C-alpha cells in the first residue's frame, strides 16, 4: 500500500511543483537548490516545502489515498 509520502510526491509532480492553493513553486527534496534557484534564504524556502494536504480531512472520514491527497506549500 503506497504511503502518504508517495501520494504527496505523485501530487507534487502532477501539479508540476506548484501549490494547490497559491500556485507558487514548491520543493520536495532539496531546499538549498530551491533557495538558490529562486533567490531565497533557507528560511524563506522553508515556507515553500511541499506537504501532503487531505482534500477531505481525516476527521471527516478522509483517507490516505491518492484521490484525497494534494500537494500544498507549508505556508498555505
Amino acid at each position: 500500500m503506497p504511503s502518504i509520502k508517495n501520494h504527496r510526491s505523485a501530487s507534487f509532480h502532477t501539479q508540476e511543483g506548484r501549490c494547490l492553493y497559491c500556485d507558487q513553486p514548491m520543493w520536495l527534496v532539496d531546499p538549498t537548490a530551491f533557495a538558490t534557484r529562486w533567490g531565497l534564504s533557507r528560511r524563506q524556502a522553508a515556507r515553500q516545502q511541499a506537504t501532503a494536504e487531505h482534500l477531505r480531512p481525516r476527521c471527516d472520514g478522509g483517507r490516505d489515498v491518492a484521490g484525497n491527497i494534494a500537494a500544498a506549500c507549508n505556508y498555505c
Side-chain angles (χ1 to χ4, degrees):
M1 184 163 153
S3 71
I4 195 165
K5 289 180 183 181
N6 293 38
H7 295 314
R8 179 190 63 208
S9 179
S11 293
F12 175 87
H13 293 294
T14 299
Q15 294 167 215
E16 299 178 354
R18 298 271 179 182
C19 175
L20 176 70
Y21 301 112
C22 69
D23 201 39
Q24 293 297 307
M26 302 181 291
W27 61 272
L28 192 58
V29 179
D30 189 352
T32 303
F34 181 86
T36 301
R37 178 178 179 196
W38 296 100
L40 303 171
S41 68
R42 287 283 306 257
R43 186 174 184 202
Q44 290 169 317
R47 292 186 191 186
Q48 298 307 119
Q49 181 178 10
T51 63
E53 175 73 12
H54 287 82
L55 300 174
R56 181 175 181 198
R58 288 181 185 170
C59 63
D60 291 337
R63 297 181 12 224
D64 293 346
V65 295
N68 193 44
I69 304 294
C73 69
N74 248 345
Y75 185 75
C76 288

